[in-house]
Amino acid sequence: MVNMATHLPVGIVLLLSVLIANTNGDNIYRLCVTNRVNVLNRCQTVKRGDSQVECVPVADSVDCALKMQQGDADFGVFTAEEALLASDFIDKSVRVVADIRHVERSTDPFAFEAVAVVKNTYGGTLNSLKGSNFCHPGFAPGGLWTDSVLKHFERFVVSTPCEKSLSVVEQEIKALSHFFKSACRPGPWVQDDMFDNRLKMNYSNLCELCDSPKTCSYASHESGSHRAALTCLTHRGGDVAYVALRYLRQYFGLESGFTAMAEMNDFKILCPDGSTEPLDNPSPCAWVQQPWSGVLARRDIANTLQPLLLSWLVNQPIDLPAWQEALWDLMMEPDHIISSVSSLLSNFVRQIGGETRQACSGSVKWCTVEKTEKQKCEWLKAAVQTHGIQPSIDCVEAKSNFECWGHVRDGIANIVTVDTEYGYIVRKSFNLSPLAYLDSGLNANYQILAIINSSDKQIKSWQNIRQKKACFPEFGGLAWISTVATLIENRQLARMCPHAAAMGSFFGGACAPGAKDIEHTRGSGVVPAKLCSVCSTHNSSDSCSTTSSSVYYGDLGALRCLANGFGNIAFVDYRQLQGSNGRLAQDIDPSAYRVLCRNGSLAQSVGLNVDNNCALSYGVGSEIVARADRSETRNTELTELLLEMDQWFGSTSPSKMDSVFHMYSEFQGTKDLLFKDATRGLVLPNDVGYSYVNDYKKLQDINSVCVKTRNSGVAIIPSIIVLIAVFISPFVI
């Protein structure tokens, strides 16, 4: 749940922390802040003079919570949502020492309260609302109420029967449609536009009370508003509305300076137990009570820090020392004040707990590799729960990527992120298919090049490659399938299935690490031994393996295979030869190489820097996959979960709470856990406007010509292609 207009500006700062003692004996309190505009200058200022504060950079509230738990940070400002998420992990490590309230509402115990309002003719139990007309404030992209708040009333009142033929989202909407006679539930119900339109068409009664039923919106605001929901109740035939208490009081003239828009005595507040109270009750029953943003401090310094904070963050920040002004700017928001609080974190957030009802199909089991990735997954799981996103997530740990893919294939797990280096393998050997591709920008995408020694005068086209020795990073990887596709495109490779046989016939020898491994070669038929013949010349028993001890494994290994004279041509991902700074490793001399382009011509000059037209292929760097035989309902459910996660925790989230958790960021100092850190967002398989995705999909399509038979598991190609191949190819299929 989120703090409404009164929560801290996450665009400036998240958190603070304290260091108890430094080497000269002074107390230094470390300030934990996000990397936002103007933060650096303020952090420099906050150390000046007699300040006892310094900044510690954090990625988000999760990062700060972990730093506090590990003793690397000591206190910070958390919104209620952030505090609720942290309470699952660091409750015993911290205490709440203060909260931060709007100056005009300093006596309000909560940042907001959500209430239900009914006509005064209401009587009976909550079930008597069946057949009534419901007015909802609406779902807005980047809104301050999460699904946990927005759906709390309807999830409490309306039971959802289990229909496995429907996604969990549609199950809830269908139940609402059957429970209420009509409603206005404006804004996007789901993140996928086509799915959203279909839901609103099938359950159109949930838009009938809107000013514009066709667009399912109030006239005042496309995505809805609390005032519009109250107008729906008082003037458009509504029977019950779910709104914030503050707006209720303003609408009925119960706050000073506001004129009543309807007669107060015609309505009453509905309580969760089915009883009612008058609108002017000073402390009415509420369905959700959201605390103000709180200052969390490490337990062992909480008592020392609390009085210092109150003295530093004075409520009239005038003529303060420069460091105190900087501190105030980092922690506070205009027109807000700090108040002393002493509470356990669990007590502070107990009234807002984020409930998530179990979906019919159960939770989505995300496969992780090793401990740290599972820890990040557990934080993501908690964030999904606190935001009320359905379905919930569980985390499954495996020892390796291959074991993870096997878990998804076997139903032990449901979903996993895969580097597209292994996209062909997970499709061929594990029967997985994409849910979404990760848009990570140009530098994170792959670019496969065919590289020869610049001194080689014999190779001038693809015809000259036949019976030459080739170096590959990995059997079945991007370089491998790009070579297959390019040779087919240039009419050099027989359309034999499996492709491994054709590649073995085309090249005079090769080093393709993994060619002896069953996990790499499942579905590839009998793999010719010559695909490891070049590796073995290195006189190493595991030279064709995919272990770190294999000197020719990986893109650098393939280039090393060429440089050492064991191969005539190497196929590599150019991006993998570059460091994080975009530069080649120091031991790579680009002038020693030349690129053979996709069309069979040599690059105009020596070196490795060529455009995508010369590359064998280029495309997106990673994808999220699930079982290929999943039902359409399950596919919709998994896709909507990913889109909701991207909406709230992605790198371009419009949410005012985008500091809660960044799922595309490094975690505990480790990069690329669950997702690539460079990820900007998701691209769905039916999105056609992304050339990097389209090229990758085309590459997979060319290599998927071979399919498995039901009985033997041996790969074959469609019969018409087989007949053609018999006549045009010297090879036997």
Side-chain angles (χ1 to χ4, degrees):
M1 295 159 208
V2 282
N3 193 332
M4 291 180 60
T6 51
H7 80 295
L8 284 182
V10 294
I12 297 177
V13 63
L14 273 180
L15 317 160
L16 299 159
S17 54
V18 181
L19 178 63
I20 293 183
N22 65 8
T23 55
N24 61 16
D26 294 330
N27 291 336
I28 299 298
Y29 299 89
R30 294 166 295 182
L31 171 62
C32 196
V33 299
T34 55
N35 297 320
R36 303 291 184 177
V37 178
N38 297 328
V39 165
L40 181 59
N41 289 338
R42 289 191 180 104
C43 284
Q44 292 294 329
T45 303
V46 86
K47 296 189 297 184
R48 295 178 180 176
D50 58 355
S51 169
Q52 293 177 255
V53 181
E54 64 184 21
C55 291
V56 172
V58 296
D60 48 37
S61 69
V62 170
D63 191 20
C64 185
L66 290 168
K67 282 183 166 61
M68 287 168 54
Q69 186 179 49
Q70 296 161 0
D72 297 324
D74 301 299
F75 75 101
V77 179
F78 284 68
T79 65
E81 286 291 345
E82 294 162 354
L84 179 61
L85 175 57
S87 67
D88 287 340
F89 300 92
I90 64 168
D91 181 44
K92 295 181 180 180
S93 304
V94 299
R95 290 185 67 90
V96 182
V97 297
D99 65 18
I100 299 173
R101 306 183 180 193
H102 194 280
V103 65
E104 294 181 358
R105 300 175 54 214
S106 60
T107 59
D108 290 357
F110 301 102
F112 75 81
E113 298 177 76
V115 296
V117 193
V118 293
K119 293 178 177 178
N120 60 8
T121 55
Y122 166 87
T125 64
L126 293 178
N127 195 53
S128 65
L129 291 173
K130 185 175 177 63
S132 64
N133 300 319
F134 177 41
C135 301
H136 191 279
F139 300 84
L144 296 177
W145 278 19
T146 65
D147 280 5
S148 189
V149 178
L150 288 168
K151 296 181 179 179
H152 178 75
F153 172 79
E154 55 193 43
R155 284 175 173 172
F156 190 93
V157 172
V158 182
S159 61
T160 302
C162 184
E163 294 188 52
K164 291 188 177 180
S165 61
L166 301 178
S167 67
V168 61
V169 173
E170 187 166 1
Q171 288 174 45
E172 287 192 336
I173 292 173
K174 181 178 179 180
L176 289 173
S177 177
H178 288 182
F179 186 87
F180 292 111
K181 178 182 177 182
S182 62
C184 184
R185 199 172 181 265
W189 296 349
V190 293
Q191 299 303 320
D192 183 87
D193 290 340
M194 292 182 61
F195 187 32
D196 189 59
N197 291 334
R198 179 168 65 83
L199 290 174
K200 287 172 179 171
M201 182 179 299
N202 292 343
Y203 307 101
S204 59
N205 66 312
L206 296 180
C207 297
E208 285 179 358
L209 286 186
C210 296
D211 297 321
S212 174
K214 185 176 181 180
T215 60
C216 203
S217 62
Y218 292 124
S220 60
H221 197 286
E222 181 180 345
S223 298
S225 73
H226 295 265
R227 184 183 180 89
L230 289 166
T231 301
C232 168
L233 171 69
T234 60
H235 292 87
R236 294 190 62 84
D239 297 308
V240 57
Y242 179 63
V243 295
L245 177 61
R246 180 186 180 193
Y247 295 109
L248 169 72
R249 287 175 170 163
Q250 293 174 358
Y251 188 85
F252 286 99
L254 297 174
E255 274 195 17
S256 176
F258 290 90
T259 302
M261 305 302 293
E263 175 53 48
M264 176 184 69
N265 295 326
D266 291 341
F267 302 90
K268 51 190 176 182
I269 290 177
L270 175 63
C271 301
D273 63 2
S275 64
T276 59
E277 296 177 354
L279 294 190
D280 58 0
N281 187 336
S283 299
C285 60
W287 292 75
V288 174
Q289 294 175 318
Q290 180 92 323
W292 297 94
S293 294
V295 180
L296 275 58
R298 282 201 305 120
R299 200 165 192 158
D300 55 348
I301 54 90
N303 292 337
T304 303
L305 174 64
Q306 188 179 54
L308 291 173
L309 271 179
L310 297 177
S311 66
W312 294 336
L313 300 172
V314 295
N315 293 330
Q316 297 294 329
I318 301 174
D319 297 328
L320 295 176
W323 74 267
Q324 276 183 257
E325 287 188 5
L327 179 63
W328 202 97
D329 288 341
L330 286 167
M331 288 189 66
M332 305 290 286
E333 193 174 0
D335 300 322
H336 282 66
I337 60 175
I338 188 167
S339 302
S340 176
V341 173
S342 294
S343 172
L344 295 173
L345 177 57
S346 55
N347 291 339
F348 184 70
V349 300
R350 70 176 184 273
Q351 65 267 45
I352 61 169
E355 74 286 319
T356 300
R357 187 164 47 200
Q358 187 76 353
C360 286
S361 54
S363 62
V364 172
K365 298 177 179 62
W366 200 296
C367 196
T368 65
V369 179
E370 299 180 350
K371 182 178 179 181
T372 307
E373 187 168 56
K374 187 179 181 184
Q375 287 177 344
K376 182 177 182 180
C377 180
E378 293 291 349
W379 278 92
L380 180 59
K381 170 186 174 180
V384 165
Q385 180 176 348
T386 59
H387 283 64
I389 298 171
Q390 290 273 34
S392 60
I393 288 177
D394 279 322
C395 305
V396 176
E397 185 176 353
K399 296 178 181 178
S400 69
N401 287 323
F402 281 87
E403 186 175 73
C404 247
W405 307 333
H407 283 350
V408 177
R409 176 197 60 206
D410 299 336
I412 299 172
N414 307 119
I415 194 170
V416 67
T417 303
V418 175
D419 192 307
T420 48
E421 170 69 17
Y422 300 101
Y424 177 66
I425 293 174
V426 300
R427 286 163 171 79
K428 172 180 64 70
S429 300
F430 296 90
N431 195 32
L432 308 183
S433 68
L435 281 164
Y437 304 98
L438 303 186
D439 180 6
S440 302
L442 300 183
N443 291 333
N445 293 330
Y446 67 82
Q447 186 189 49
I448 304 301
L449 304 182
I451 302 173
I452 62 173
N453 289 310
S454 58
S455 59
D456 192 322
K457 304 302 181 183
Q458 295 183 351
I459 298 177
K460 297 180 180 180
S461 68
W462 288 111
Q463 287 88 338
N464 305 136
I465 299 299
R466 186 180 296 276
Q467 294 306 303
K468 292 293 192 295
K469 295 179 180 179
C471 304
F472 294 95
E474 190 164 1
F475 181 89
L478 283 169
W480 174 270
I481 64 174
S482 297
T483 304
V484 169
T486 301
L487 290 175
I488 290 176
E489 186 179 84
N490 283 272
R491 300 179 180 275
Q492 295 300 309
L493 191 68
R495 286 187 177 271
M496 295 175 64
C497 280
H499 289 141
M503 293 283 275
S505 297
F506 181 81
F507 290 106
C511 180
K516 295 180 179 179
D517 174 38
I518 184 60
E519 297 290 7
H520 282 75
T521 60
R522 184 183 288 113
S524 297
V526 178
V527 177
K530 66 191 305 185
L531 294 181
C532 283
S533 62
V534 171
C535 309
S536 60
T537 59
H538 187 257
N539 194 29
S540 173
S541 60
D542 65 347
S543 57
C544 200
S545 71
T546 56
T547 63
S548 57
S549 61
S550 177
V551 295
Y552 296 146
Y553 169 55
D555 293 280
L556 282 172
L559 193 63
R560 186 181 298 115
C561 170
L562 174 65
N564 290 348
F566 293 112
N568 306 109
I569 187 168
F571 302 92
V572 301
D573 180 359
Y574 180 61
R575 308 292 189 198
Q576 296 300 319
L577 301 180
Q578 300 172 306
S580 58
N581 58 3
R583 298 177 181 176
L584 290 171
Q586 291 184 350
D587 59 344
I588 298 178
D589 178 11
S591 65
Y593 306 103
R594 194 164 189 167
V595 176
L596 179 62
C597 295
R598 181 174 178 172
N599 64 2
S601 65
L602 289 173
Q604 292 182 353
S605 59
V606 298
L608 301 176
N609 189 13
V610 297
D611 62 22
N612 287 334
N613 292 323
C614 179
L616 303 193
S617 70
Y618 61 92
V620 67
S622 54
E623 57 188 333
I624 302 171
V625 298
R627 283 177 56 155
D629 60 356
R630 60 188 179 274
S631 67
E632 182 180 350
T633 296
R634 188 58 164 169
N635 186 75
T636 298
E637 195 165 75
L638 295 174
T639 300
E640 184 57 27
L641 171 64
L642 293 175
L643 292 176
E644 286 285 350
M645 287 165 44
D646 183 68
Q647 167 76 12
W648 288 103
F649 315 123
S651 58
T652 58
S653 168
S655 169
K656 297 296 181 61
M657 295 189 308
D658 65 355
S659 61
V660 173
F661 182 61
H662 292 163
M663 66 183 191
Y664 301 140
S665 294
E666 67 178 53
F667 180 80
Q668 295 275 58
T670 304
K671 294 182 176 296
D672 299 331
L673 298 176
L674 297 182
F675 311 93
K676 294 287 188 182
D677 294 347
T679 302
R680 298 174 179 177
L682 303 178
V683 179
L684 299 184
N686 58 358
D687 292 339
V688 297
Y690 295 84
S691 61
Y692 281 84
V693 171
N694 293 338
D695 192 80
Y696 174 66
K697 290 163 67 175
K698 180 181 178 182
L699 180 63
Q700 292 293 348
D701 289 343
I702 293 174
N703 279 271
S704 66
V705 170
C706 296
V707 295
K708 296 177 183 178
T709 62
R710 179 178 301 176
N711 297 322
S712 67
V714 177
I716 62 171
I717 55 179
S719 57
I720 189 169
I721 298 178
V722 173
L723 291 174
I724 295 173
V726 168
F727 288 100
I728 68 172
S729 172
F731 303 101
V732 179
I733 297 178

